[in-house]
Amino acid sequence: MSHAVAQGAADCLPGGPAGLPLVAPAPVYGASGEQVGFPGTVSIGHEGLLGVLAELVRLRAPWAGRIVFVNGHGGYVTALDTALGQRRGEGHDAAWTGCDVPGGDAHAGRTETSVMLHLAPDQVLLDAAVAGDTRPPAVLLPDLMARRVRAVSPSGVLGDPSGAPLEEGAGCWTRWCRRLSAGSPGVLPTVEAALDPAPGPGVRP
């Protein structure tokens, strides 16, 4: 999802002195310790994620110019703020933006399902959709931190995907792409599709 937003924004941006915007592949691993109750989960932890973010900026900055991470996972907000704040302190031009939806649910519910129906409908199995814990993300967070996802929702769903409309997903994707492209001053040489909604409007420094 975040990669599609990065690509959509890059497609809207013109080239400049540094060249055309580039979209890098999304990192394969991140920090998802809250999901460890589900077999197959692999997490490098927040310290590991901080190191990955640092090196992605340092190694690309000499040739890429500005780097913007597109984040689709609320659990990465602290790591992004910390790592990119440190990189800016080193003189790098790095920022991030989130795929947030005011009033949206947290994971695999109406919001994400509607977006996936727009982006990759062949990967959405609506017949298998089940509702999980439907409390708002802000209310869910302390419980998730203390007990992890599986104890809160055995299916892993945080929200209710039933009745998710494709049109709603298309609107979310369009708003995210426009916000990212409009919030990138001048040339955006590299858009880093990173990490898998995060609060905060626009592109965060």
Side-chain angles (χ1 to χ4, degrees):
M1 193 165 68
S2 56
H3 188 275
V5 173
Q7 188 64 64
D11 290 343
C12 295
L13 291 167
L20 291 170
L22 302 174
V23 178
V28 177
Y29 296 111
S32 298
E34 73 280 359
Q35 303 279 1
V36 294
F38 297 96
T41 299
V42 177
S43 173
I44 61 173
H46 285 278
E47 289 300 318
L49 179 59
L50 283 170
V52 169
L53 291 169
E55 292 307 309
L56 286 175
V57 173
R58 286 176 178 146
L59 294 176
R60 289 186 168 102
W63 56 266
R66 188 168 208 235
I67 298 172
V68 178
F69 289 87
V70 181
N71 178 41
H73 183 42
Y76 295 160
V77 172
T78 299
L80 283 161
D81 280 342
T82 300
L84 300 189
Q86 292 171 346
R87 302 297 74 75
R88 286 192 299 275
E90 296 171 353
H92 300 301
D93 188 359
W96 72 273
T97 187
C99 300
D100 58 298
V101 176
D105 44 23
H107 181 63
R110 175 187 177 101
T111 303
E112 289 186 351
T113 302
S114 65
V115 174
M116 289 303 295
L117 282 170
H118 170 64
L119 295 175
D122 58 308
Q123 297 182 26
V124 181
L125 304 177
L126 285 177
D127 291 344
V130 295
D133 194 314
T134 58
R135 289 177 292 169
V139 177
L140 272 171
L141 186 59
D143 217 5
L144 294 175
M145 297 281 287
R147 302 169 57 210
R148 298 184 173 172
V149 174
R150 190 158 192 169
V152 175
S153 174
S155 68
V157 177
L158 301 173
D160 185 356
S162 60
L166 182 152
E167 296 80 7
E168 185 174 306
C172 289
W173 179 79
T174 300
R175 286 193 298 274
W176 293 335
C177 292
R178 288 177 176 170
R179 182 174 67 184
L180 175 55
S181 58
S184 304
V187 178
L188 180 58
T190 296
V191 179
E192 181 79 35
L195 328 170
D196 217 314
V203 177
R204 292 177 57 155

